[in-house]
Amino acid sequence: QVQLVESGGGLVQAGGSLRLSCAASGRTFSRYAMGWFRQAPGKEREFVAAVNWSGSSTNYADSVKGRFTISRDSTKNTVYLPMNGLQPGDTAVYYCAANYLHLSRAVGQYDYWGQGTQVTVSS
């Protein structure tokens, strides 16, 4: 069992930055690939970024490449998502998710989800 708690969301102006954090509980955190997803009102949940269990491999949605960076600190059981150059189109609820062993871009592949944190970017 893995429990995930996101933090770091908020309101920021276009061009600004935020850093999301996802704190995980559970002794097997290091065996899970971790992903960030987002869901805007009226839209489906979409992939943002993912990191494999060791932190050696990452994957990004084209829309965030070069602006967002995913990383993990297994000593703190935490995954981070610094977000730079935020735009109104990035406004959404951001979710952290855990997938046993495999890095994936697919929502359906993830076993555990956090409650989400709101990110709002004003123009």
Side-chain angles (χ1 to χ4, degrees):
Q1 187 81 8
V2 176
Q3 293 183 327
L4 305 172
V5 179
E6 302 96 334
S7 62
L11 173 63
V12 65
Q13 290 187 333
S17 300
L18 286 173
R19 188 179 80 156
L20 303 185
S21 298
C22 173
S25 64
R27 292 177 292 176
T28 59
F29 171 73
S30 62
R31 298 180 187 175
Y32 284 82
M34 301 298 296
W36 285 99
F37 293 79
R38 66 187 182 187
Q39 188 166 16
K43 294 189 177 181
E44 293 188 352
R45 193 168 297 188
E46 66 174 6
F47 171 76
V48 174
V51 59
N52 71 339
W53 66 272
S54 68
S56 63
S57 180
T58 58
N59 196 285
Y60 296 92
D62 288 344
S63 59
V64 307
K65 245 176 226 181
R67 300 189 298 125
F68 296 7
T69 306
I70 189 171
S71 64
R72 65 189 298 161
D73 184 343
S74 293
T75 65
K76 297 181 179 179
N77 279 11
T78 302
V79 178
Y80 302 101
L81 188 72
M83 306 183 294
N84 299 314
L86 284 163
Q87 298 300 317
D90 295 316
T91 296
V93 177
Y94 282 71
Y95 297 91
C96 173
N99 178 31
Y100 188 65
L101 292 181
H102 302 296
L103 189 157
S104 173
R105 298 166 65 102
V107 170
Q109 294 281 321
Y110 284 77
D111 306 301
Y112 301 101
W113 293 84
Q115 82 290 347
T117 185
Q118 177 70 47
V119 171
T120 303
V121 185
S122 63
S123 57

